[in-house]
Amino acid sequence: DAGVIQSPRHEVTEMGQEVTLRCKPISGHNSLFWYRQTMMRGLELLIYFNNNVPIDDSGMPEDRFSAKMPNASFSTLKIQPSEPRDSAVYFCASSPSGGAADTQYFGPGTRLTVL
Amino acid sequence: QKEVEQNSGPLSVPEGAIASLNCTYSDRGSQSFFWYRQYSGKSPELIMFIYSNGDKEDGRFTAQLNKASQYVSLLIRDSQPSDSATYLCAVKGYSSASKIIFGSGTRLSIRP
């Protein structure tokens, strides 16, 4: 079975540009998570969805960040406008359930560099 | 105080020895505890999860949970160079809406 798929794997952009990261969760999983990882701050949860509905977006750093999940097999994380401090690895993860027993499966990540 | 705390390391352990990784958490209502391994440049992958006080063993790995002390640990027996990675402790509350909080990770290095 295919794991979590993310695209692009690498993105280099200039400050002020819009960036869109994409994620396809594992088929049948009903929870999807977006994380950001940096050396300074570690792995931070940005937002998560359950059955395509955003449950907790308290980790979204500011209004420049937005996330959507239009259907069970696709999600996007958009940054507009991007800033150099947004440079990080962004992971998408999915989970088969929202209960306490959930296990998250991570995608390969998108390495974002904002110049 | 961070919600999930880990010593950042690096922790250096000789090959064949036992590596002991520790994690403390602040939310007494936490119910689920996970250990993830992350190789450099790769994504985290789940090693073990534990819900009940005591020990849980899986091959060379043993997770230990003490809810009274709000402490969870991971023991790796017969450490191999391939165990060299960053180990992330993660904690989740009881409700289905609870999010998983990750620690900052402990970097483990197994020296041959």
Side-chain angles (χ1 to χ4, degrees):
Chain A
D1 286 342
V4 175
I5 299 172
Q6 291 186 248
S7 64
R9 295 293 306 276
H10 301 273
E11 177 82 22
V12 180
T13 191
E14 292 187 347
M15 182 174 63
Q17 296 298 305
E18 178 180 295
V19 175
T20 299
L21 311 181
R22 297 173 176 79
C23 175
K24 177 178 170 55
I26 294 172
S27 178
H29 285 192
N30 57 12
S31 294
L32 182 141
F33 307 79
W34 282 101
Y35 289 91
R36 176 173 68 177
Q37 188 174 42
T38 61
M39 288 293 292
M40 290 296 294
R41 301 175 67 92
L43 192 64
E44 302 174 279
L45 178 66
L46 300 177
I47 185 171
Y48 81 93
F49 297 84
N50 187 249
N51 292 322
N52 311 340
V53 176
I55 302 300
D56 186 338
D57 65 354
S58 60
M60 296 286 263
E62 48 198 273
D63 291 345
R64 297 185 298 107
F65 286 69
S66 63
K68 294 182 179 179
M69 191 165 186
N71 57 62
S73 58
F74 184 67
S75 177
T76 59
L77 177 68
K78 185 176 294 186
I79 308 172
Q80 167 62 21
S82 58
E83 296 182 3
R85 60 192 168 117
D86 301 331
S87 298
V89 179
Y90 290 80
F91 288 106
C92 176
S94 69
S95 169
S97 76
D102 58 354
T103 296
Q104 296 186 15
Y105 298 84
F106 283 77
T110 295
R111 182 173 295 276
L112 173 65
T113 302
V114 183
L115 303 174
Chain B
Q1 181 190 6
K2 290 184 179 179
E3 294 178 79
V4 179
E5 296 217 38
Q6 296 181 255
N7 189 318
S8 63
L11 175 65
S12 182
V13 173
E15 184 175 358
I18 295 175
S20 178
L21 304 163
N22 305 316
C23 172
T24 58
Y25 58 95
S26 60
D27 183 3
R28 284 197 170 274
S30 300
Q31 294 291 320
S32 309
F33 307 86
F34 307 84
W35 282 100
Y36 283 80
R37 177 177 61 199
Q38 186 175 24
Y39 292 114
S40 180
K42 302 295 185 181
S43 55
E45 57 178 332
L46 182 73
I47 299 175
M48 293 190 70
F49 57 86
I50 185 168
Y51 308 127
S52 303
N53 275 328
D55 295 0
K56 179 181 179 182
E57 187 175 318
D58 183 2
R60 296 187 297 113
F61 298 95
T62 298
Q64 299 176 317
L65 175 61
N66 184 326
K67 290 186 179 179
S69 300
Q70 296 174 242
Y71 177 92
V72 60
S73 65
L74 179 70
L75 301 178
I76 307 175
R77 290 182 300 280
D78 189 22
S79 297
Q80 303 296 310
S82 60
D83 295 326
S84 297
T86 295
Y87 289 80
L88 302 168
C89 171
V91 174
K92 189 178 190 296
Y94 178 76
S95 79
S96 60
S98 298
K99 59 187 180 185
I100 291 180
I101 307 295
F102 281 82
S104 56
T106 297
R107 192 153 52 94
L108 175 65
S109 176
I110 307 299
R111 55 182 190 272

